Amino acid sequence: GAVVSQHPSWVICKSGTSVKIECRSLDFQATTMFWYRQFPKQSLMLMATSNEGSKATYEQGVEKDKFLINHASLTLSTLTVTSAHPEDSSFYICSAKGGAGANEKLFFGSGTQLSVL
Amino acid sequence: GQSLEQPSEVTAVEGAIVQINCTYQTSGFYGLSWYQQHDGGAPTFLSYNALDGLEETGRFSSFLSRSDSYGYLLLQELQMKDSASYFCALNQAGTALIFGKGTTLSVSS
């Protein structure tokens, strides 16, 4: 099946620094990738839709200048959390669409646990 | 907008059968998916219904009734390893999945 690789799996950083998270589709091309955030014991909340070669579409309430998304190729999307603060500590998960039509489904990366001190 | 409702917690014993219900409100419905997530892990795909009826995959089955905007996930012959969170999610053409709040299943011996 389709594989999505996400790196790093966990990161600890100081407040005010920036963190980059990579999401790669290993065996298929993903023109669209999605970034979710999940706080403990809560659901996955969609942050943004990343489209290859164009600007990302952000969900309401998500600061585009804080969460920079770059989708420069068909197999790589990156999320950069700029000037991270403790409230940004969360589990970040990327996903990519595979299949087509009614068989379309999302394949998830393994997630990145971000802890901001 | 879209919304999904599912119970927050369910408990059961090994070997039992559990049904997790999900009701939804949406426009442009395309399908209903189910995902499993263990603590600290990423969601993994379990099942998908685009049409009314039952889809069976081993011990797990999923049902959909589009007229009732309702679906459920059925887990049979429960095992301890099935303890996890289960999410129903709306598929809409060309967009990301919208997840419910999740149901935490606790299986005891």
Side-chain angles (χ1 to χ4, degrees), chain B residues 42 67 88 100:
Chain B
S67 60
C88 57

Side-chain angles (χ1 to χ4, degrees), chain A residues 6 42 102 117:
Chain A
Q6 185 173 342
Q42 295 191 23
L117 305 178

Side-chain angles (χ1 to χ4, degrees), chain A:
Chain A
V3 176
V4 174
S5 173
Q6 185 173 342
H7 178 81
S9 56
W10 59 270
V11 59
I12 301 172
C13 69
K14 292 182 179 180
S15 185
T17 60
S18 295
V19 174
K20 179 185 280 189
I21 303 170
E22 292 188 350
C23 181
R24 295 179 184 272
S25 57
L26 296 186
D27 53 358
F28 67 104
Q29 293 182 331
T31 55
T32 303
M33 291 185 176
F34 305 98
W35 288 93
Y36 289 86
R37 178 168 56 183
Q38 186 178 34
F39 293 106
K41 305 298 183 185
Q42 295 191 23
S43 185
L44 289 87
M45 300 303 296
L46 179 66
M47 297 178 66
T49 300
S50 172
N51 299 299
E52 187 267 336
S54 65
K55 291 183 179 180
T57 304
Y58 291 82
E59 295 300 302
Q60 191 173 8
V62 178
E63 301 175 59
K64 62 179 181 179
D65 294 330
K66 181 171 185 62
F67 299 99
L68 300 179
I69 290 173
N70 185 284
H71 195 155
S73 77
L74 287 172
T75 59
L76 174 65
S77 175
T78 61
L79 168 68
T80 301
V81 183
T82 62
S83 186
H85 290 285
E87 57 264 32
D88 299 324
S89 298
S90 184
F91 191 53
Y92 293 86
I93 313 172
C94 71
S95 64
K97 282 190 174 182
N103 294 319
E104 191 176 69
K105 65 179 73 168
L106 279 190
F107 298 93
F108 285 86
S110 55
T112 299
Q113 183 63 54
L114 171 63
S115 296
V116 184
L117 305 178

